[in-house]
Amino acid sequence: MRRNHQPYGRRHRGNNNLLKIVFWLGFLALVVYGIISLWNFSTNKLGFQNTSAKVEVSKNKVEFALQNSKKWTPTALEQKIFPAESLRTNHSGQATLKIFNNSFIYLNSSTEILIENLKFNENQREVTIILKKGELWTKISKDDFKDENSKFII
């Protein structure tokens, strides 16, 4: 007979503890995930998500600057411009920005804008553009702004 032999029930007790630990770790992971999800939702006012505008057409020199930056960088075709970023054209430049699906902002030469706000949720869209200098014109699609609470501000 072996001296260190343990009864059947005691040998499997460690597995029960392991199952409890796995259960509580899983539960803790779900709680942490829920807290992070709520925090993300609460930091986005009304569940808004930021989006970007896309440079569709550019002629001659068109540049963008990141938020709080004084360095201007040439844009590329289909360059994405995000909220808090600026876009400018030189004396012979022109640019077309596509917003959402079918809305456009056309920048004439010697124009500078700041994309202050560009966000959406399932019921509403908000766009705020600050014209710092120059000329622009817009083509706003009713399909992009069909909700009565949507805003396009220049």
Side-chain angles (χ1 to χ4, degrees), residues 20-38:
K20 287 179 183 178
I21 290 170
V22 169
F23 171 80
W24 286 110
L25 285 175
F27 179 76
L28 181 63
L30 284 174
V31 169
V32 169
Y33 177 77
I35 290 171
I36 291 171
S37 296
L38 284 173

Side-chain angles (χ1 to χ4, degrees), residues 41 45 56 102 149:
F41 181 77
K45 178 182 138 193
E56 288 283 308
N102 296 309
N149 295 321

Side-chain angles (χ1 to χ4, degrees), residues 69-92:
S69 173
K70 294 182 181 182
K71 181 182 176 195
W72 290 91
T73 306
T75 60
L77 193 58
E78 298 195 13
Q79 169 88 36
K80 290 185 177 184
I81 307 295
F82 293 92
E85 294 181 352
S86 297
L87 188 70
R88 75 178 180 187
T89 58
N90 72 353
H91 66 280
S92 62

